[in-house]
Structures are given as structure tokens and as C-alpha cells.
Amino acid sequence: MAIRPMNVAVVGATGAVGVEMIKTLEKRNFPVKELRLLASARSVGKTALFQGREYPIQELTPDSFQGIDVALFSAGASVSREYAAHAVKAGAVVVDNSSCFRMDPQVPLVVPEVNPEDVKKHQGIIANPNCTTIIMLVAVKPLYDLSRVRRIIVSTYQSASGAGAKGMDELLQQTRTVLAGGKAEPKVFKWPYAFNVFSHNTDIGENGYNTEEMKMVNETRKILHDDAIGVCPTCVRVPVLRSHAESVVLEFQDKVSLEEALEAWKKAPGLTIVNDAASNHFPMPCESNEQYNVLAGRLRYDLSTPNSLAFFLCGDQLLKGAALNAVQIAELL
């Protein structure tokens, strides 16, 4: 079936995720008729390359969306809150990468490998889940389909790319400073990032969980349409430039064998199995960088409780955790 060329806007085109959205549209041969790159006034005058042509960065205004079919937003929740309605009013479908609409009951929250059918329910806006939730559920859903998952225990090892270009720059600059004998001076993050690990830089709630952790709890339930599933996350920052890693334990309703799990993973979209115990070769950020698929491996039984499996994941936060997922949603449209 021929796909109608579409007019596409990228909001936040100069940010780390926006840049990857533009690259992903090109790499996946998305049928772009017109590309409109939008950002704040301070980015006007810059350009971005798409299919061999330089495109100017335009200032984002309420009138930026006339004639646009799909608007990919990645400029933060405050920008989405202010401008998404203008895009919808102009006739565009918004795919929003911020936290603004994720838990809105009127807005579908979509991982194309997990719940593609939810795209049909949109009323002008579709939300991209949090990066850690996306990476986890790409691997969890094939196993959930074998036997309902009662409980997820997950620890994340989150890279600097989750905080955008500024976070990546801070890690690079601090690493150079420390290696030269200096002291890391935090600016973007509260704590030193070079050669350090710290709790994710979001507020701690009354229940003891930070905002990032609660995103994983609430988004998992919404995407899987399972309000009863238990999720216990611990989210931390690690001094890795790009790609998040996650240690996951699943407790199933019924026993799932290693063989069944591996077979389900082999058939699952968006996954690459890296599970070579003989060579101690399992998912690593350096191998998932700039890869579309989530890497899954280190699969084993949880020795502490029945009907449980443990495994390890890595996924490129800027791609599958953000830009790629958004473009895949646009492809579903």
C-alpha cells in the first residue's frame, strides 16, 4: 500500500532528541513531503541537514503548524503544554516525547512493539513513554504474553543522554577535569557525575520513590492495561554517555522456562538477544549505542522465588527510548 507523503514538524529540533528525530526520519525513509524544524528564538539562524539539504530552524509560535500532518514534540513538558493544542487545532497529530500527557486518560501511551492498537484511540495527541519504561517493556511484553507478570523489580543504570545535550556535556567536561587532577563541579546535576553513581535527579515523593521511578510504575500499568501489576523500580545515574541499562526480575503467574522465554524473545520485534554465557557476553551500553533494537540477555532463573526470571537490558535512550519510538508511532499513523 502506498503511503501518503506527510508534512512533518519537529519541535525542539536542536535538542539531543530532536536531532535524532531528524536522523531517524531520514534513515527510515519516512515519507516526508515538507519538513518544518522548530525551536526557540535563540536557535533561529541555525540549520539542520536532512536528505542532503539544509533546513533552517524556525521559531516556534502558535501559528507554526498550518498544513502540518504530524508534529513530533521533544522540547519539554512546558512547551508541549503550551503548543500541542495549537498543533491539534491546525489539524496535526502530535506525538509528544515529554511527560506532559502520558497519564492523561484521553491520550494513548504507546510503544509500537507492545500496544500498537492504542494508536487508534488518539484524539489528536499520542504520548511517548519514558525512556526506561520503553526499553523495559520491549523485552517484558513477549514474556508477559507467555504468562501474566505479577511483579517487576527493576534497577536502572541511566546514562547522561537522559538529561539531553547539557547532561552529556557535563559528564564529558567533568571527566576531563578529574583526569587532569581537578575537582568535578556540578552544574546540571546536584552531584558530581564523573566516576560517580547517584540516585536519579528527580524529586523524592512521600512514598520514598522519585519521579522517574513512579513514571515506570504508572506507565507500565497504563501501557499493559494492567492496574494490578506490581512494579518496584530503583533509578540511578551512572557515568555512561549514552544508552540506559536495566536489571529486571519478573515474577509470573505460572512458570516460564528459559527456553520458552528465549523463543519468545527471538520472535519479538525490536529485540536483539545478547546472551553468551560462555564468553560472559551480555548487553552493554557501548554495543547498544546508535542501535534501534533493545539488547536483552543474562537470562536466568531467579533463585530466590518460584516462577521468576531475571535478565539484563540495554537500549539507546536517544533512539528507542525517545526519537525512534516517536517516529515509529508516526509510522503507525
Side-chain angles (χ1 to χ4, degrees), residues 9 18 23 79 162 184 197 229 267 274:
K23 290 180 182 177
V79 173
V197 173
I229 191 170
K267 297 175 182 177
V274 183

Side-chain angles (χ1 to χ4, degrees), residues 4-315:
R4 176 176 63 88
M6 305 173 83
N7 297 332
V8 179
V10 177
V11 179
T14 57
V17 174
V19 168
E20 293 298 336
M21 284 177 170
I22 297 165
K23 290 180 182 177
T24 303
L25 287 167
E26 180 169 348
K27 287 181 180 179
R28 293 178 71 85
N29 295 313
F30 191 87
V32 176
K33 183 179 181 181
E34 177 193 344
L35 182 64
R36 200 171 298 170
L37 304 182
L38 304 169
S40 65
R42 64 180 178 271
S43 293
V44 173
K46 297 180 180 178
T47 61
L49 192 66
F50 178 75
Q51 294 182 339
R53 174 185 160 192
E54 293 282 347
Y55 282 77
I57 305 298
Q58 303 177 39
E59 182 179 357
L60 173 64
T61 73
D63 299 321
S64 292
F65 303 99
Q66 296 302 317
I68 293 297
D69 298 303
V70 177
L72 306 178
F73 273 64
S74 189
S78 60
V79 173
S80 296
R81 195 172 295 113
E82 182 175 355
Y83 289 97
H86 293 293
V88 174
K89 186 177 180 181
V93 177
V94 170
V95 181
D96 183 49
N97 192 54
S98 79
S99 60
C100 185
F101 302 105
R102 288 175 185 160
M103 297 314 299
D104 186 329
Q106 304 301 315
V107 176
L109 185 65
V110 175
V111 181
E113 295 88 345
V114 177
N115 60 330
E117 65 284 351
D118 286 356
V119 164
K120 299 175 183 177
K121 303 173 185 176
H122 81 80
Q123 299 175 33
I125 300 174
I126 302 166
N128 222 28
N130 191 48
C131 49
T132 50
T133 308
I134 294 172
I135 291 166
M136 180 177 74
L137 291 186
V138 168
V140 168
K141 182 58 163 59
L143 308 183
Y144 186 99
D145 289 342
L146 296 175
S147 174
R148 181 181 170 270
V149 174
R150 289 177 170 171
R151 185 182 184 212
I152 303 173
I153 301 172
V154 54
S155 297
T156 70
Y157 308 79
Q158 294 181 227
S159 63
S161 63
K166 290 181 179 179
M168 298 168 78
D169 288 343
E170 175 138 306
L171 176 57
L172 288 171
Q173 291 170 10
Q174 286 188 6
T175 302
R176 294 188 189 104
T177 298
V178 173
L179 287 173
K183 182 180 179 182
E185 298 292 344
K187 294 178 181 177
V188 177
F189 299 101
K190 183 178 180 179
W191 308 110
Y193 203 175
F195 306 100
N196 192 27
V197 173
F198 52 88
S199 178
H200 192 276
N201 51 296
T202 46
D203 294 335
I204 304 291
E206 291 183 4
N207 63 0
Y209 288 80
N210 64 41
T211 305
E212 186 82 352
E213 291 160 353
M214 290 310 300
K215 287 177 184 178
M216 297 191 77
V217 174
N218 296 324
E219 292 176 17
T220 295
R221 290 171 176 169
K222 181 174 180 177
I223 294 165
L224 294 178
H225 302 286
D226 186 349
D227 290 337
I229 191 170
V231 185
C232 179
T234 302
C235 295
V236 303
R237 289 279 187 203
V238 296
V240 170
L241 196 61
R242 180 166 172 160
S243 285
H244 292 349
E246 303 184 15
S247 173
V248 184
V249 177
L250 303 183
E251 181 183 345
F252 297 92
Q253 191 165 302
D254 305 298
K255 182 179 175 64
V256 174
S257 70
L258 298 180
E259 293 75 19
E260 289 173 317
L262 281 172
E263 191 61 31
W265 273 357
K266 287 177 184 177
K267 297 175 182 177
L271 269 182
T272 298
I273 298 173
V274 183
N275 197 53
D276 185 355
S279 299
N280 200 10
H281 183 194
F282 302 110
M284 294 180 286
C286 66
E287 293 186 346
S288 64
N289 287 346
E290 300 186 12
Q291 299 300 309
Y292 284 169
N293 279 9
V294 172
L295 309 186
R298 194 80 211 282
L299 184 67
R300 60 205 188 278
Y301 291 114
D302 174 5
L303 300 179
S304 68
T305 189
N307 299 345
S308 295
L309 295 177
F311 51 89
F312 197 75
L313 306 172
C314 277

